[in-house]
Amino acid sequence: MDGSHEITLDEPTGGRDGVSSEPKEASQDGQTAQETAVLPGQDPLAAAKEKEGAPEDAGADARLGPLWSPPGMGIPGTLPRSGCREQETQQRSGEDDGHDGSASLVWAATPGMLFQEDKQTRLHPLSLSWVLGYNSSLAVHSLMDSEDRVLLYVSSHMVVIHDILGNRQYHLQGHTNVISCLCVSEDRRWVATADRGPDALIIVWDSFSGIPVRTIFESHPEDGVSAIAISQDAKYLATISAGTVQRVCVWKWTSPTEKPVCSTELRPEFGYQDYVIFNPQNPYEFVSNSKTQVVFYLWGNTGLQYGTPLLSSQTFNSVVGHFSQSVFHFNNSQALTGTSAGKLVVWDVVSPHTPSKELWVKPHSMKATKLVPMQKDSLTVLMVFESCIVTGDVKGQVKFYNGELQLLACYSQSKVGPIRSISFSQAPPDPPGASPACSTSCTASSQPFVARNFILSTSDATVLHVATDRTNFEKVMEEAKKAVNAIACHPRQALIAVGSHCGLLKVWDYQQTKYLVSRIFTEASIQCLSYDPEGYFLAAGFTDGSVYILDAISLQSSCKEFKFSRGPVTHISFSHDSEYLATADEKYSVTVYKRVLQNRSRCWEHLAGLRSHYKPIRSILFGVQLDSNEPRLLSLGEDRQLVEYDLSSSSKDHLVVLHRDRIEQVAVPLCLAWYPQLSTESFILTANNCYKMKLYNTTTKMCRKTLLGPTYGSPLEKIQILPTNTADAQKHYLAYITKDKVGLQILPVDGNPHKSSAFICHPDGVSDLASCYDGRYVFTAGGDDCTVMKWEVNLNALDAAASLGGEDLIPFYNLLDGGREGEFFRELEDYFYYAQLRNHGIDTLETRQVSTHIPLEEIPSVMRAMGFYPSEEKTEEMINEVKFSKYVDTGEQVTKINLGDFIKLYINHRPAFGLSMKKIQQAFQVLGYDNENGDKVIDRGDLLLLLQCRGEHMTEDELVQCLTTLLGKHPGRGGSEPDIYDPSGAAALTEEEIPEEITAEIFAADILGLPIAEPEKKNRKKR
């Protein structure tokens, strides 16, 4: 395990410990350029003028350009351009004011200016307003700690700069994946963040202005970044990838190149390296560690080298434990590593055999020289601050040691959890009136030890501010430490309830952005929440199947908890009159509770339960009867069943089902809501996993319309009609969440993609959606990322975007391949008018009446001619959709359709992403078997039998007719008239043209005659 390794150098740069000049690098025109450093007291603009032949930042944002810091700002040389991606990188008002104006945003930025700006105009339909919760596995940094107490932490995929005393937040948005690591420069100005997942990014932010000054794309394209560090001079970044084979890279982030200065790969036996830090005295040296291995690095002209010194329990005949964090000593060549056994490993340089190569031998000559027992409790944090070595442990203790590891001071308080990070104030504290109560005196001086105030973050999601002069532990934040899956908005006040899997239930005033009341349930995890329509009760469903009905203000139980669900409660809802409460659980059951009068007081009791589905329940929904004010209850499951219950006929332990309707043939319904009364007819709105939204008549459950829904990477998971105070009764909006996005949709839904907008909210998955009572805000819960986000709604921006997309048929033309002027549209017109000819008779000699309409009976033929092959049930739905479109208003059926309506019908009903080979291959995976070549095949006889017996089965005559037509062997008469089927010889033809074993490629290309991609063609030829 101990050894040296020579590494490839991608972009050489030089450096030696103690050398004052910076390494040279090649500029883009091939000439050598020397980077100019701004010396203390030197005018930065003068330094810029003196710089000759400096590399032009071709990769830099033209608006930012070469930027120089005013004295003391610490900008490390030339700033590169900011990388950006569509809709991901934070938009700022005023960025288009010209080169000089935008450049000054970074050049003239000062601490605290983020919160001095006026509130920016909201330009998007949804704008992030506030974030509750943070990633407690990452460090919390103190940016300011005096009159303003400003923290920096990570919440999901963004960085939050939080002014605690001013109750303000600023969000650095740019990542599309959850941020996996971050680091902050010594002067707290530069913040580097990185993430894992597809299109992983490294972004360097200016914390003074909030501007992303550098974005590195494809730094570790396979798996993203697991650890990141920034050098003391803030010019270099070190990153470690998150893959099985980890790659270590060094970046000069102020250079516009997209490649690292040098890099290397680590062997998997070194363990998962998840911590890295630079040597403050030498930016060309850094160290990383996993739980079992510490790696020392040195980089320069000859590349990146590393050493992996061996250490085991046998080395010092003592238990070492797992490594936590490593640091370099502040005044010698040693390094230290904390362990879970409460010990410090001291690493030092063993005298090399070749003194002339001392620098490059150093990482390989580092050896464990001591194992110092510091305490019994596990060390979780190890850092160097000024002339002290600071440790944090699992008991919440912070200890200060001098260079000889002698204890100087200890700060602790009961009920502080395992420490995750320590961040010191930049400003020293006021002169203390007395020595810290629990600190020891300095061993080298009689003067009391005085440390700066610091911020503690713990692994149980608590942040504390420690004033060292008073040993005062002040709780700054206490957030959910486990998944947040449940949120609910109060129906009449600006309150939101947030429940987590750690049992913490909090009520938050989202107007004043402050917590009001909380309660901890130790028995189980909160899974779902709901206020009653009056706002008196808050119902909570738990993972152990229990249900609590709480007072909405005090959070005290209104009655004894119920436990009638056999599995975790996934949905909970009140009826409009607050007389019923219904829940759904993971065991596919619906349970109903009723409010009754007992002993002259109203209380809740269990009514009945029923296992009404055989697959997971996606939604339960209370409504109001059309002819009375009585409540009605529906449940929707992945079994495609929409079940309505008869509450008035239900009795104790007997829940009556009124209707059970299968609402989908192939697609899986995912959510439902009551559609606003935009017409005479009343509808239920559903969304399925095929990106379709459907309207069903509330009484007959007949599908009245199928519409293309939002297509933002994943189907709609939950939908809510957004409450609006607009005077226009016909103006309504829908809020929705997908797997990782939140969005808005203008109603009525018609398939127009410009009437919808969505934004990434929780990359690892959204667990819940809630909208406030007046529709001004939408809230999302992030599940495992432990955050809740508050989004401000701007309906004018959504309406403007829809208007810019065009009116009438323009948005639908653009959804056709080639648009209005494309070949596809011309082909559609030809088929449309050919259908008219065929309806009148091809060979008729009578005068033709040219029309803009075709009969409804021709819809399936034209659809199939255009490459959309609906099932018989889908065909019937399409025809009925048009036939009864005006029936409620006029009492008459529609018998024909024009070209414009046909285009809308085609776009709304066709598959959202077309017919894919992948779908056919999936079917063969399910139905087929592996032949001797390892291919998934279906036997010819089995295929014919399946087509005749399963699904919308065909008769033998229909099957033979289809196959002979598809295979081009139809014994027709020719000409323009439809062929007349002759069944003679069909069986022999089938055996001759169809092989005994059919693969997905043969089925698609040879039988269906569909074009397939080249790889599939090659596979078909091999067979």
Side-chain angles (χ1 to χ4, degrees):
M1 200 165 184
D2 187 12
S4 62
H5 308 271
E6 190 65 36
I7 313 305
T8 59
L9 181 68
D10 296 320
E11 185 180 328
T13 185
R16 292 291 188 272
D17 196 11
V19 178
S20 59
S21 64
E22 287 295 319
K24 293 184 178 182
E25 59 182 4
S27 63
Q28 292 195 346
D29 59 4
Q31 297 177 348
T32 301
Q34 178 71 33
E35 181 183 5
T36 301
V38 182
L39 301 177
Q42 181 183 9
D43 182 7
L45 295 179
K49 293 176 182 178
E50 291 172 6
K51 182 177 181 181
E52 294 182 1
E56 193 69 23
D57 284 337
D61 194 319
R63 293 192 297 262
L64 293 178
L67 303 179
W68 301 91
S69 66
M73 284 300 152
I75 299 181
T78 304
L79 288 181
R81 77 172 78 178
S82 168
C84 60
R85 295 246 171 126
E86 291 183 33
Q87 223 184 61
E88 312 299 347
T89 304
Q90 181 178 1
Q91 302 297 317
R92 294 181 54 84
S93 61
E95 278 192 346
D96 298 325
D97 296 340
H99 178 276
D100 294 336
S102 290
S104 65
L105 290 176
V106 173
W107 187 87
T110 57
M113 69 172 286
L114 284 180
F115 303 110
Q116 296 170 2
E117 300 176 1
D118 294 332
K119 189 175 181 181
Q120 300 173 12
T121 304
R122 304 294 186 178
L123 302 177
H124 302 287
L126 288 172
S127 301
L128 185 64
S129 176
W130 197 270
V131 180
L132 298 172
Y134 73 102
N135 186 346
S136 60
S137 66
L138 298 181
V140 175
H141 293 273
S142 174
L143 295 187
M144 300 174 66
D145 185 10
S146 53
E147 294 180 359
D148 296 316
R149 187 176 300 167
V150 180
L151 303 183
L152 180 143
Y153 52 84
V154 169
S155 294
S156 188
H157 64 301
M158 67 189 67
V159 178
V160 179
I161 299 177
H162 189 172
D163 179 358
I164 299 295
L165 302 180
N167 200 24
R168 297 171 294 185
Q169 284 187 355
Y170 192 92
H171 309 109
L172 307 182
Q173 303 176 67
H175 290 274
T176 58
N177 305 302
V178 170
I179 295 174
S180 57
C181 51
L182 82 160
C183 59
V184 178
S185 64
E186 183 68 18
D187 62 359
R188 317 295 168 90
R189 175 154 197 184
W190 311 108
V191 180
T193 57
D195 64 67
R196 299 179 195 165
D199 301 319
L201 301 176
I202 299 172
I203 303 179
V204 181
W205 311 84
D206 173 20
S207 70
F208 292 0
S209 64
I211 293 176
V213 294
R214 180 76 163 101
T215 301
I216 302 174
F217 300 97
E218 299 180 354
S219 57
H220 299 278
E222 299 84 7
D223 304 285
V225 184
S226 68
I228 190 169
I230 190 167
S231 61
Q232 182 84 358
D233 59 8
K235 292 182 180 180
Y236 305 106
L237 295 175
T239 61
I240 303 178
S241 71
T244 305
V245 178
Q246 292 185 283
R247 187 171 186 82
V248 182
C249 296
V250 177
W251 308 83
K252 186 172 183 182
W253 67 268
T254 55
S255 173
T257 180
E258 290 290 323
K259 293 184 179 180
V261 175
C262 51
S263 62
T264 183
E265 286 187 352
L266 301 178
R267 296 203 299 266
E269 54 262 34
F270 296 159
Y272 187 78
Q273 302 283 318
D274 58 1
Y275 185 79
V276 62
I277 189 170
F278 274 94
N279 186 344
Q281 285 78 40
N282 182 7
Y284 303 101
E285 187 178 0
F286 58 96
V287 62
S288 72
N289 66 261
S290 65
K291 289 183 177 181
T292 57
Q293 181 65 61
V294 176
V295 184
F296 292 92
Y297 306 84
L298 200 63
W299 65 278
N301 283 332
T302 59
L304 175 59
Q305 298 187 14
Y306 67 87
T308 55
L310 180 65
L311 176 62
S312 66
S313 299
Q314 288 74 36
T315 306
F316 297 104
N317 293 320
S318 179
V319 175
V320 177
H322 287 150
F323 300 140
S324 55
Q325 293 183 356
S326 302
V327 294
F328 288 93
H329 202 287
F330 51 83
N331 61 6
N332 58 38
S333 60
Q334 293 177 341
L336 307 170
T337 299
T339 77
S340 60
K343 300 175 182 179
L344 283 183
V345 182
V346 180
W347 312 90
D348 208 345
V349 179
V350 178
S351 299
H353 298 295
T354 53
S356 62
K357 298 181 180 179
E358 181 179 351
L359 179 72
W360 294 108
V361 173
K362 185 176 179 181
H364 316 308
S365 57
M366 292 292 282
K367 304 292 182 183
T369 59
K370 294 179 185 178
L371 185 62
V372 183
M374 308 299 291
Q375 58 185 54
K376 292 182 179 180
D377 300 314
S378 173
L379 298 177
T380 56
V381 174
L382 177 64
M383 62 184 298
V384 168
F385 181 72
E386 294 181 340
S387 297
C388 294
I389 294 166
V390 187
T391 65
D393 60 31
V394 292
K395 292 291 184 66
Q397 300 179 102
V398 179
K399 296 180 180 180
F400 292 77
Y401 300 88
N402 63 12
E404 287 75 38
L405 299 183
Q406 295 173 322
L407 183 65
L408 300 178
C410 169
Y411 296 90
S412 64
Q413 190 181 55
S414 60
K415 297 183 181 180
V416 175
I419 294 176
R420 181 62 191 85
S421 70
I422 304 170
S423 181
F424 287 89
S425 167
Q426 283 191 290
D430 295 332
S435 300
C438 64
S439 69
T440 62
S441 61
C442 280
T443 58
S445 171
S446 61
Q447 295 297 320
F449 168 78
V450 179
R452 295 185 184 181
N453 297 343
F454 55 90
I455 290 290
L456 284 183
S457 72
T458 67
S459 57
D460 57 4
T462 302
V463 178
L464 301 106
H465 178 267
V466 181
T468 56
D469 58 338
R470 301 182 302 276
T471 65
N472 179 30
F473 283 68
E474 177 189 351
K475 190 176 291 185
V476 176
M477 294 195 306
E478 184 177 16
E479 302 293 346
K481 57 187 176 183
K482 291 186 180 179
V484 177
N485 286 337
I487 53 175
C489 284
H490 195 281
R492 297 185 177 182
Q493 299 179 43
L495 305 176
I496 181 171
V498 179
S500 81
H501 272 196
C502 64
L504 177 64
L505 173 61
K506 280 191 170 185
V507 176
W508 187 62
D509 184 331
Y510 54 78
Q511 290 283 34
Q512 303 296 324
T513 59
K514 64 179 181 181
Y515 285 115
L516 299 180
V517 63
S518 64
R519 179 178 173 182
I520 295 179
F521 297 85
T522 57
E523 298 82 8
S525 304
I526 302 173
Q527 187 68 24
C528 52
L529 293 169
S530 177
Y531 281 99
D532 80 299
E534 298 295 327
Y536 298 143
F537 299 107
L538 175 63
F542 289 77
T543 53
D544 65 350
S546 59
V547 173
Y548 283 75
I549 302 176
L550 312 172
D551 181 86
I553 298 175
S554 66
L555 299 186
Q556 296 303 309
S557 298
S558 297
C559 58
K560 189 177 179 180
E561 74 273 12
F562 298 104
K563 197 169 182 180
F564 291 91
S565 298
R566 297 181 179 179
V569 179
T570 57
H571 300 81
I572 192 165
S573 181
F574 284 93
S575 63
H576 75 286
D577 56 4
S578 301
E579 292 296 315
Y580 291 93
L581 172 70
T583 66
D585 59 51
E586 286 188 1
K587 298 298 183 181
Y588 320 141
S589 298
V590 172
T591 307
V592 178
Y593 304 88
K594 189 176 182 180
R595 208 169 169 207
V596 295
L597 185 65
Q598 285 185 355
N599 300 324
R600 298 182 180 180
S601 64
R602 302 293 295 260
C603 62
W604 291 90
E605 71 171 17
H606 171 257
L607 178 62
L610 180 67
R611 192 176 189 271
S612 49
H613 296 268
Y614 62 89
K615 285 188 177 181
I617 297 173
R618 296 294 307 197
S619 184
I620 56 173
L621 186 66
F622 273 104
V624 184
Q625 299 286 354
L626 295 177
D627 54 353
S628 68
N629 198 39
E630 292 298 312
R632 59 190 297 194
L633 175 63
L634 297 91
S635 65
L636 179 67
E638 291 183 9
D639 53 7
R640 304 179 180 88
Q641 299 289 321
L642 178 63
V643 180
E644 182 169 2
Y645 305 88
D646 190 344
L647 296 177
S648 59
S649 302
S650 298
S651 56
K652 184 67 174 176
D653 297 327
H654 181 60
L655 186 59
V656 178
V657 173
L658 185 62
H659 297 291
R660 186 185 296 272
D661 299 278
R662 181 178 63 83
I663 62 171
E664 294 280 4
Q665 184 180 28
V666 176
V668 177
L670 301 179
C671 49
L672 82 161
W674 296 107
Y675 199 63
Q677 196 76 33
L678 301 177
S679 62
T680 309
E681 196 171 1
S682 299
F683 297 111
I684 299 170
L685 175 68
T686 70
N688 63 32
N689 67 338
C690 293
Y691 299 88
K692 302 296 184 183
M693 304 178 81
K694 291 189 173 185
L695 293 178
Y696 295 88
N697 183 283
T698 56
T699 304
T700 65
K701 309 299 192 310
M702 175 182 174
C703 180
R704 295 286 292 105
K705 237 174 195 182
T706 299
L707 304 148
L708 178 66
T711 54
Y712 295 110
S714 57
L716 305 191
E717 297 283 342
K718 290 188 177 181
I719 56 177
Q720 282 189 7
I721 305 300
L722 195 68
T724 55
N725 294 326
T726 176
D728 188 353
Q730 295 299 306
K731 215 166 187 180
H732 292 273
Y733 301 85
L734 177 80
Y736 62 84
I737 54 173
T738 67
K739 180 182 177 182
D740 60 349
K741 299 178 182 68
V742 59
L744 296 177
Q745 168 81 46
I746 299 175
L747 299 181
V749 182
D750 58 5
N752 180 355
H754 301 290
K755 294 173 69 173
S756 177
S757 180
F759 301 85
I760 295 176
C761 55
H762 303 276
D764 279 357
V766 194
S767 60
D768 204 1
L769 168 73
S771 56
C772 67
Y773 69 97
D774 57 3
R776 292 177 56 195
Y777 300 103
V778 169
F779 299 85
T780 57
D784 290 336
D785 70 14
C786 303
T787 63
V788 173
M789 296 185 183
K790 170 187 169 186
W791 301 84
E792 186 174 342
V793 175
N794 183 354
L795 298 177
N796 291 332
L798 184 62
D799 291 334
S803 299
L804 292 172
E807 298 179 348
D808 299 326
L809 285 170
I810 293 176
F812 297 93
Y813 288 144
N814 295 332
L815 293 176
L816 297 175
D817 188 18
R820 176 68 175 81
E821 306 301 324
E823 182 180 345
F824 186 88
F825 180 79
R826 292 195 297 271
E827 187 178 350
L828 174 58
E829 282 186 315
D830 292 341
Y831 286 131
F832 195 82
Y833 292 118
Y834 174 71
Q836 288 188 25
L837 295 176
R838 199 173 76 156
N839 181 65
H840 293 150
I842 297 296
D843 296 331
T844 182
L845 298 178
E846 298 177 2
T847 303
R848 298 185 182 276
Q849 298 292 328
V850 178
S851 171
T852 57
H853 295 74
I854 61 171
L856 300 186
E857 294 75 18
E858 295 292 339
I859 288 178
S861 300
V862 181
M863 290 285 183
R864 289 169 181 141
M866 299 308 299
F868 168 40
Y869 309 100
S871 64
E872 294 301 316
E873 183 173 314
K874 176 67 71 175
T875 299
E876 185 179 355
E877 281 186 2
M878 287 191 295
I879 293 175
N880 286 338
E881 179 177 321
V882 181
K883 181 185 293 185
F884 298 107
S885 58
K886 300 178 181 178
Y887 187 79
V888 174
D889 297 323
T890 65
E892 297 179 355
Q893 296 181 3
V894 177
T895 59
K896 55 188 179 180
I897 185 172
N898 61 30
L899 181 60
D901 290 338
F902 181 88
I903 291 173
K904 289 183 179 180
L905 191 71
Y906 168 74
I907 287 172
N908 282 319
H909 281 266
R910 71 176 181 179
F913 302 107
L915 182 64
S916 68
M917 187 66 198
K918 187 177 179 181
K919 288 284 187 183
I920 299 176
Q921 290 170 339
Q922 287 174 349
F924 272 71
Q925 288 289 330
V926 174
L927 300 173
Y929 62 90
D930 294 321
N931 66 4
E932 56 186 14
N933 297 325
D935 300 323
K936 279 289 183 184
V937 298
I938 299 179
D939 180 79
R940 177 179 59 202
D942 291 342
L943 177 62
L944 298 177
L945 189 62
L946 285 168
L947 291 172
Q948 293 178 75
C949 300
R950 302 293 295 272
E952 291 184 346
H953 52 268
M954 308 169 72
T955 65
E956 185 175 354
D957 285 349
E958 289 174 336
L959 179 59
V960 174
Q961 181 178 4
C962 286
L963 288 175
T964 52
T965 303
L966 286 169
L967 295 170
K969 304 294 183 180
H970 207 307
R973 301 174 303 171
S976 57
E977 280 292 336
D979 293 332
I980 298 174
Y981 166 64
D982 181 4
S984 62
L989 177 64
T990 303
E991 291 185 5
E992 178 184 341
E993 296 296 329
I994 301 178
E996 289 188 14
E997 291 185 341
I998 305 169
T999 65
E1001 292 76 22
I1002 291 174
F1003 182 74
D1006 297 343
I1007 297 178
L1008 298 182
L1010 300 175
I1012 61 175
E1014 289 299 323
E1016 280 80 11
K1017 287 183 180 179
K1018 292 178 182 178
N1019 293 336
R1020 184 164 57 97
K1021 289 178 181 177
K1022 288 179 182 178
R1023 298 182 185 102

